[in-house]
Amino acid sequence: MSSVAAKTSPMKALTDVGQSIWLDNLRRSLLDSGELQGLINQGLRGLTSNPAILEKALSGSTDYDAQLKELQSLKDLDAKGLYEKLTIKDIQKAADLFADVYKSTNGSDGFVSLEVAPYLANDTDGTLAEARRLWQEVNRPNLMVKVPGTDSGLKAIKQLISEGININVTLLFARAQYERVLEAYISGLEARLKAGKPIDKVASVASFFVSRIDSSVDSYIEKKVADAKVGDKDKEALNKLTGTIAVANAKMAYQHFKTVTESARWKDLLAKGAQAQRVLWASTSTKNPKFKDTRYIEELIGKATVNTVPPATLDAFIDHGTVAVTLEDGLKEARANLDNLAKLGISLDQVTSELLTDGIALFAEAFDRLLANVEKKRMGLLGNLLDRQTVKLPPDLQKEVDTTLKDWQDKGKVRRLYGKDSTLWTNKDESKWLGWLDITQEQQAHLHQLIALQKEIKTRAYKHAVLLGMGGSSLGPEVLRLVLGSAAGYPQLLVLDSTDPEQIATLERKINFKDTVFIVSSKSGSTLEPNIFKQYFFHKATEALGAEEAGKRFIAVTDPGSHMEEVAKRDGFGHIFHGLPSIGGRYSVLSNFGMVPAAVLGLDLGKFLDRVDLMVHSCASSVPATANPGVVLGAVLGVAANHGKDKVTFITSSTLRSVGSWLEQLLAESTGKLGKGIVPVDLEPLKGASVYGSDRVFVHLKLESDVDRFNEEYVQSLVAADHPVVVITVPEVYDLGQEFYRWEIATATAGAIIGINAFDQPDVEASKIVTRQLTDEYEKNGSLPKETPFLEDKESGLSIFPSQRTLKKLEAEKPKSVKEALRSFLLDTGSGDYLAFLAYLEMNESHEKTLTEIRGLALEKRKVATCLGFGPRFLHSTGQAYKGGPNKGVFLQITSGNQKDLAVPGQKYSFSTVKLAQARGDFEVLSQRDRRALRIHIGDNADAGLKALSKMITEALG
C-alpha cells in the first residue's frame, strides 16, 4: 500500500459527496508501523476485518509471536481464547486511532468492526451472548460487532440494537433480506426508545456484498450461453448482462433505503437523534479482469453509504479512481437488467441464497484456518508441557480418516459435541450425559473443599485409605494410585472392586482399622458391590472403633439424593462429596469420583487440573477437527472400527501399565452396543507382528522418562507391517489427566462415528438383573438354583457349562472329555474373532501370570486377539462390549469356589455366593445374546484348579 501516501484527494472527495471509505484489512504491522494513522490522515473513515486477513498475518509474519508468548506465560488459553486476545488488542488500538474521526462526526463514523464467530450464523442465543461479551471486552464506543444477516441473526440484531450495541450486519446478498435487516434495525431503535433509552449514539451498517454476485451470475450466464439448446438471440441478451447484475441489485437496495428513510416512521426516529443504518458496499474488489479494477467503488457512490475495500483496490482507486455520485444513475436500465435475467431463466434469488450459504461456509473455513494456525503456535509454545500424539496409518485408512475429519469440520461436529447436541449420536438422551466436558472448571471452582479434606487426612495421619467401588468409581482412582502414588505424609490407597472373599480378606489383612479411612464410591448409590462392601467394612470398623468413631472414618462419593447419601447421613459419615448427575461413571475420573481419592493421596490438585486444562484447551470446540487431538484420535478409532479394525490394542510403558484398565471400560462400555463397537485389548503378551490379523489398531502409550526401547522397536515393526499405530507420549506423571480428557473426547467422537449412544450401558444392566434374581432366590431359599455340568473331569475336578450356542455345537460333536470339549471350543475362533478369559477369581499376581501365559499361547496358536478380565470387576467395564458389541467374542468363563468365605452383614448370602451369582448372571446374558461361551468351574482351590486348566488348554491347543 505504499502508493497511497502520495495521492489522497479521492478519499476526501468521497467524504465530500457523502460516502465513507473504509479499509478491509487489519494486522498488527498496519497499526504499529503508523501506516493506518497515515491513511486516516488522508481521509480513511473506518475499518473492517475478517478471519482470513488475520490468518495470513499469523502464518506469514511474526507480528503476534511476542504477545502469544506473553499470554501463554500467564495462563493457557484455547485457540479461540488466544485469537480473541490477539484480535481485541488490534481492534482496541485501531478504534483508538479512529477516535478523532468518531468524535468529529458526532459518532456517525470512525468505526472498527469485529465479528462474532462464523459458526454462530444460525444461532440467535449464541450470537447474542458473544456480541455482548465482545462489546464489553473491547470497551470502545466506536466498535461495531459484525453479525451475519441470516434469519437467526435478524433476531439478535434487533435485540442488540435495543441494548445500544453498534452492529455491522454482514453477508447480505438478497434485497429482500436487506429489507428485513433495515426493519430489524428500526424496530431495535424503537424498542430502545420505548425503554426510555437514548438512540443518538447507536450506529449500524448493512454490508451488502457486490462482486461475488457478478461472479456467480456470470458463471450461470456462461453455462447458459454454452448450452446448444439456447437460441442465438437469448445468448446475445445473456452476454449483455455479464457484469451488470451486482451493481443493479445494489442500486435497487439503495432505493429501498431511500424510501424507508423518507418515511414518517423514520423521520420520527430522526427527530429523536437516530442515525441512519448506512448501506455498506462489501466485496468490492473486481474479480473479472475485463472490468475496471475500481468499478465497484465508482459505480456505487452515493450519500449515506460506506464502501469497504481491500488494500489493492484502495491503492487502485487513489491512483486512478474518479469520484462522482453515480448510485442513482441508470435505475431504469438496472431494473430492466434484473427483469431480463429472470426472463432468461436465471434466478437471482437462487444465486443470492447460494451465496449466503457459501459465504457462511467460507467465513467458517477461514476461521477454522485461523484457529488452526493459532493452535499450531500455541502447541509450539507449550512444547513438552502437552502430551504428544502421532498417528501412522495405512494409506487407505488414512484417506477415510481424512474424509471423516473433513466432514466433522464442514458440519461443525466438534462444536455440536460441545453444544451437547444429541443428534450427533442417536438423538436420545446423550445431551444429559456431557457434564464432563467442562468438569475441570467445576473442580477448580470448588478446589478449596478438596484441599480442606486433604489437610484433614494428613492431620489424622492415616496409613491406609480403602476405596470401595466398582467400574468408573474404582478404575480411575486405581490408575492414580499406581501411576502417581501417595505423597509423603498421606495414606497408601487400596482399591477393592471384587466380591471374591479371598481378595477381600487379603486387603483386610493389610490394614488396621485404627489408622484407615474408607471411601465408599457409588454414583447411583444402588450398585450391589459398593453397598455390601460398605456393610462389611462398616461392621468391622464399628467392632474395632465403635459406631460413632467408625462413621467418622467413612467418606461417601455419590450423586445428590442417592441411596448411598441416605446411608452416609444415617451412619454419620465424616464427609459426603457429590458427583454430577450429568456425568456417567466411566467419564467421572476428573470429577469427585477421581479427585476425592486424589486428594486423599495428597496429590497437588491445582497442578494436576492445570495440566488437564492444557488438553481441554487443545480439544476445545474452537480447535479445528484436524488439529484437535481428541477428535483426531476418535476419528481413527471410529473409522477403523467401521472398517473391521475394532480391536484397539494397548502397548504401555512400565509406569503407565495400569492405564489400560481405565481405557478398557471407557471404550468398551461406551461403544460396545447394537452389535457395533470397539474391543479394547490390554496387557496382551507381545508375540511379533506376524501373529496379528487385520482387525487391530495399536496404541503405544508411554511416559517420556520410562526406558521403553523394546516397546518402541516393537511398535516400529508394527508400522513396517502396515498396522495402524497411534503413539502418545506423556511428558511426566502429572500429565496423566491430559489422557483422561483426550480419551473421553476421543470416545465420544468414535461413538458418534460408529453410530451409537456413547453414554448408556444397556447390557450391563441386563447382567445386574439376572444377578439380583439369583441373590433374591438365595435370600428366599438359602441356595442358588441347581445346575448340572455338561461334562466333568474327575481327575482335575474341572467341569464345564456351555452357553446355548456352544451346547448345540458340543451336542453335535459329542466330545468324550472336558479336554475334547475345551479343544472344540477354543478352535471355534477365526479371523476377526477375539478370545476373552473371564476369571471369577482373586485378582492377584499369580493368577494374572498364569492367565497371561494362556493368553500368549492362544494368540500364537489361534492368531486372534485375547482379553483378560477378573470378575466381577470386568462386568462394569468390558462386559458391555462382550454382550452388546460385535458378536465376534469367544468367552471362556472361569469360576471357582472358595476355601474361605466371608459373611455379608445383614444378608443370608455370603460374598462367595454373590460372586457365583454374578458369574452365573453374566454367563446367562452371554448365552441369551447368542455368544460362544463356556463356563469352566475349577473347584474350591483356585490355584490348583487354574494350574490344571492351564495344562489342559496347553494340551488342547498343542
Side-chain angles (χ1 to χ4, degrees):
M1 291 178 57
S2 57
S3 62
V4 203
K7 301 179 180 181
T8 60
S9 57
M11 277 200 286
K12 290 184 176 179
L14 281 175
T15 304
D16 291 341
V17 299
Q19 184 174 83
S20 295
I21 193 84
W22 289 7
L23 178 65
D24 191 27
N25 185 38
L26 177 62
R27 60 182 293 172
R28 187 66 53 85
S29 59
L30 182 70
L31 301 168
D32 292 346
S33 66
E35 187 176 1
L36 181 61
Q37 183 62 64
L39 291 171
I40 293 170
N41 295 341
Q42 296 161 19
L44 190 70
R45 310 274 285 184
L47 183 143
T48 57
S49 185
N50 62 63
I53 294 170
L54 182 58
E55 189 272 326
K56 290 175 183 175
L58 270 170
S59 60
S61 74
T62 59
D63 288 3
Y64 296 90
D65 287 2
Q67 189 187 356
L68 276 168
K69 190 172 182 179
E70 179 186 358
L71 289 169
Q72 278 301 110
S73 69
L74 298 173
K75 182 183 179 182
D76 184 54
L77 298 169
D78 64 26
K80 188 164 185 283
L82 284 171
Y83 149 73
E84 287 187 357
K85 291 289 185 184
L86 298 176
T87 198
I88 284 173
K89 183 175 180 180
D90 285 356
I91 292 292
Q92 288 174 327
K93 188 165 186 178
D96 292 342
L97 291 175
F98 279 104
D100 287 342
V101 176
Y102 179 76
K103 292 172 185 174
S104 66
T105 60
N106 197 27
S108 64
D109 222 334
F111 292 98
V112 177
S113 295
L114 172 63
E115 69 184 319
V116 299
Y119 316 133
L120 300 172
N122 296 306
D123 181 352
T124 300
D125 291 339
T127 296
L128 286 169
E130 184 150 316
R132 289 165 179 153
R133 181 174 55 79
L134 293 175
W135 178 255
Q136 291 294 325
E137 291 191 20
V138 174
N139 194 27
R140 297 294 189 275
N142 56 331
L143 171 70
M144 276 192 174
V145 179
K146 290 172 77 172
V147 175
T150 58
D151 291 347
S152 298
L154 287 173
K155 299 171 186 175
I157 290 161
K158 177 181 175 180
Q159 180 60 36
L160 293 168
I161 291 296
S162 75
E163 295 174 16
I165 297 175
N166 304 324
I167 299 298
N168 176 343
V169 186
T170 187
L171 286 177
L172 298 177
F173 299 93
R175 296 194 307 278
Q177 193 69 356
Y178 161 66
E179 291 169 10
R180 295 177 66 195
V181 165
L182 185 51
E183 172 59 31
Y185 173 66
I186 292 172
S187 297
L189 292 177
E190 290 171 338
R192 185 168 175 81
L193 271 178
K194 189 175 180 180
K197 297 177 181 178
I199 60 173
D200 59 313
K201 297 299 182 185
V202 183
S204 180
V205 294
S207 295
F208 202 85
F209 283 55
V210 187
S211 67
R212 291 191 196 180
I213 290 179
D214 272 345
S215 296
S216 181
V217 170
D218 290 355
S219 69
Y220 275 99
I221 288 173
E222 288 177 8
K223 290 175 184 175
K224 283 272 187 183
V225 170
D227 187 347
K229 297 178 182 178
V230 178
D232 290 343
K233 186 175 180 181
D234 284 349
K235 287 182 180 180
E236 183 180 353
L238 284 164
N239 282 325
K240 287 181 179 179
L241 294 177
T242 299
T244 67
I245 299 304
V247 169
N249 193 47
K251 288 185 174 185
M252 293 302 100
Y254 184 70
Q255 289 304 299
H256 179 74
F257 166 80
K258 286 192 65 178
T259 299
V260 171
T261 53
E262 289 169 2
S263 68
R265 181 187 181 193
W266 175 253
K267 288 178 180 177
D268 182 56
L269 288 170
L270 187 64
K272 294 178 174 65
Q275 296 186 39
Q277 184 189 57
R278 292 179 292 173
V279 183
L280 179 150
W281 310 122
S283 179
T284 51
S285 61
T286 305
K287 308 294 192 295
N288 190 333
K290 294 179 181 178
F291 298 111
K292 188 178 179 181
D293 54 3
T294 57
R295 68 170 302 208
Y296 294 117
I297 299 177
E298 294 173 353
E299 295 182 35
L300 295 172
I301 299 173
K303 292 182 179 180
T305 60
V306 179
N307 200 315
T308 186
V309 294
T313 304
L314 181 59
D315 276 348
F317 182 69
I318 290 173
D319 181 68
H320 52 264
T322 58
V323 176
V325 177
T326 55
L327 192 50
E328 296 191 84
D329 293 348
L331 293 179
K332 184 177 180 181
E333 181 183 358
R335 291 189 182 95
N337 286 342
L338 294 171
D339 289 343
N340 288 337
L341 186 72
K343 289 176 182 176
L344 290 166
I346 297 176
S347 168
L348 185 56
D349 287 343
Q350 180 182 336
V351 168
T352 56
S353 176
E354 290 171 352
L355 285 171
L356 175 59
T357 300
D358 293 345
I360 293 170
L362 287 170
F363 274 156
E365 288 170 10
F367 200 57
D368 287 340
R369 290 194 301 272
L370 166 61
L371 294 179
N373 207 299
V374 172
E375 179 63 14
K376 182 178 179 181
K377 286 182 176 284
R378 170 183 168 270
M379 290 181 69
L381 290 168
L382 285 174
N384 281 343
L385 291 175
L386 188 68
D387 293 10
R388 302 184 298 281
Q389 173 177 285
T390 58
V391 177
K392 297 179 181 179
L393 306 177
D396 56 341
L397 182 59
Q398 183 67 63
K399 183 178 179 181
E400 292 292 333
V401 169
D402 290 343
T403 299
T404 297
L405 287 171
K406 185 177 187 303
D407 176 67
W408 271 64
Q409 191 62 49
D410 293 347
K411 295 179 181 177
K413 290 185 178 181
V414 183
R415 294 185 296 278
R416 287 169 58 193
L417 191 158
Y418 278 88
K420 303 179 181 179
D421 180 357
S422 294
T423 62
L424 194 59
W425 295 277
T426 64
N427 200 22
K428 293 181 180 176
D429 67 342
E430 290 91 343
S431 63
K432 297 178 180 178
W433 297 102
L434 289 158
W436 53 272
L437 286 169
D438 48 15
I439 188 59
T440 56
Q441 295 177 27
E442 176 80 14
Q443 291 299 86
Q444 287 163 335
H446 299 94
L447 197 57
H448 61 282
Q449 297 173 356
L450 293 171
I451 291 174
L453 171 68
Q454 201 166 56
K455 289 178 179 177
E456 178 187 317
I457 294 295
K458 189 171 186 179
T459 300
R460 287 179 174 267
Y462 291 119
K463 291 184 179 179
H464 290 99
V466 176
L467 186 138
L468 310 173
M470 294 298 293
S473 299
S474 63
L475 293 170
E478 184 171 58
V479 173
L480 293 172
R481 171 181 81 89
L482 293 171
V483 175
L484 287 102
S486 302
Y490 288 89
Q492 177 188 359
L493 180 66
L494 305 174
V495 175
L496 179 64
D497 56 0
S498 175
T499 53
D500 184 274
E502 292 171 9
Q503 189 161 335
I504 297 168
T506 297
L507 183 147
E508 188 177 352
R509 285 192 293 271
K510 293 179 180 179
I511 66 172
N512 185 323
F513 284 91
K514 292 180 181 179
D515 51 28
T516 300
V517 62
F518 295 87
I519 305 168
V520 187
S521 191
S522 175
K523 179 176 174 60
S524 67
S526 60
T527 303
L528 172 67
E529 296 94 337
N531 277 287
I532 60 176
F533 295 160
K534 180 268 170 188
Q535 288 170 235
Y536 180 81
F537 281 101
F538 193 84
H539 175 74
K540 288 283 188 174
T542 300
E543 286 183 337
L545 307 169
E548 184 176 348
E549 184 60 27
K552 296 176 183 178
R553 305 297 182 92
F554 278 73
I555 299 167
V557 186
T558 189
D559 277 3
S562 74
H563 171 70
M564 185 57 70
E565 182 174 24
E566 294 176 13
V567 169
K569 289 178 178 178
R570 181 197 68 201
D571 290 342
F573 278 24
H575 295 279
I576 300 173
F577 287 89
H578 287 138
L580 289 182
S582 58
I583 302 178
R586 57 188 174 274
Y587 292 87
S588 68
V589 65
L590 295 172
S591 74
N592 281 338
F593 287 98
M595 291 302 98
V596 168
V600 172
L601 283 166
L603 302 187
D604 185 336
L605 300 178
K607 177 181 178 180
F608 184 84
L609 291 169
D610 283 346
R611 294 292 182 88
V612 177
D613 264 347
L614 298 179
M615 187 59 69
V616 172
H617 296 154
S618 296
C619 294
S621 62
S622 59
V623 179
T626 52
N628 189 311
V631 173
V632 169
L633 178 58
V636 170
L637 300 178
V639 171
N642 286 344
H643 286 76
K645 298 180 183 296
D646 54 2
K647 316 300 187 307
V648 175
T649 305
F650 302 113
I651 300 172
T652 55
S653 66
S654 56
T655 303
L656 303 181
R657 185 177 187 273
S658 62
V659 177
S661 63
W662 178 79
L663 289 170
E664 276 188 316
Q665 185 201 20
L666 182 67
L667 287 172
E669 202 166 72
S670 296
T671 68
K673 56 204 71 169
L674 302 178
K676 306 175 183 179
I678 294 166
V679 177
V681 180
D682 183 36
L683 300 178
E684 184 179 55
L686 303 180
K687 293 292 183 179
S690 63
V691 303
Y692 301 119
S694 61
D695 57 346
R696 302 271 193 152
V697 173
F698 292 91
V699 177
H700 183 201
L701 185 62
K702 60 179 181 176
L703 185 69
E704 195 155 47
S705 60
D706 280 347
V707 177
D708 199 31
R709 190 171 302 147
F710 173 81
N711 283 349
E712 288 178 0
E713 291 176 358
Y714 192 86
V715 167
Q716 288 304 314
S717 73
L718 295 173
V719 173
D722 220 22
H723 288 292
V725 174
V726 177
V727 178
I728 295 173
T729 304
V730 180
E732 63 138 310
V733 290
Y734 262 90
D735 297 312
L736 174 65
Q738 292 186 33
E739 292 314 304
F740 290 149
Y741 196 82
R742 181 210 306 269
W743 281 90
E744 287 172 355
I745 291 290
T747 302
T749 300
I753 292 168
I754 293 169
I756 47 83
N757 181 341
F759 311 106
D760 67 356
Q761 51 282 334
D763 299 285
V764 171
E765 300 303 321
S767 289
K768 290 181 180 179
I769 291 169
V770 179
T771 298
R772 192 177 305 117
Q773 290 169 349
L774 290 168
T775 54
D776 287 348
E777 171 107 359
Y778 192 96
E779 287 292 290
K780 181 179 178 182
N781 301 319
S783 64
L784 296 176
K786 291 184 178 181
E787 55 182 354
T788 303
F790 179 79
L791 281 173
E792 295 180 87
D793 186 278
K794 300 296 184 182
E795 181 182 346
S796 64
L798 306 184
S799 54
I800 60 171
F801 303 82
S803 65
Q804 294 173 15
R805 178 171 171 176
T806 302
L807 177 63
K808 291 178 183 177
K809 183 174 187 293
L810 293 179
E811 285 179 335
E813 295 175 352
K814 296 180 174 58
K816 295 178 182 179
S817 67
V818 170
K819 185 193 296 186
E820 283 186 25
L822 187 59
R823 175 177 172 77
S824 170
F825 176 74
L826 294 172
L827 294 181
D828 194 18
T829 50
S831 177
D833 286 342
Y834 64 98
L835 177 58
F837 298 91
L838 312 179
Y840 283 81
L841 310 174
E842 179 180 1
M843 184 177 173
N844 60 36
E845 186 176 345
S846 173
H847 292 167
E848 185 174 356
K849 181 176 182 293
T850 299
L851 289 164
T852 299
E853 290 171 353
I854 294 173
R855 288 179 74 183
L857 177 66
L859 173 61
E860 284 185 299
K861 297 295 185 178
R862 300 305 304 154
K863 292 183 171 51
V864 296
T866 66
C867 304
L868 170 60
F870 282 90
R873 168 187 167 113
F874 78 84
L875 288 178
H876 300 263
S877 175
T878 51
Q880 169 61 48
Y882 296 163
K883 300 174 185 71
N887 195 352
K888 300 177 182 180
V890 178
F891 304 98
L892 183 63
Q893 187 191 79
I894 306 164
T895 60
S896 74
N898 291 97
Q899 293 177 309
K900 293 181 181 179
D901 202 355
L902 294 174
V904 178
Q907 309 292 157
K908 288 183 180 179
Y909 54 69
S910 65
F911 279 103
S912 183
T913 304
V914 171
K915 184 185 72 166
L916 185 55
Q918 289 177 306
R920 287 175 60 173
D922 172 35
F923 196 81
E924 175 63 27
V925 177
L926 286 172
S927 184
Q928 291 172 3
R929 299 292 190 273
D930 194 38
R931 273 18 184 189
R932 289 164 285 176
L934 185 71
R935 178 159 74 92
I936 186 158
H937 190 75
I938 61 175
D940 290 344
N941 187 326
D943 292 340
L946 197 56
K947 184 177 180 181
L949 176 62
S950 176
K951 181 175 181 292
M952 189 174 288
I953 290 177
T954 302
E955 292 171 354
L957 290 175

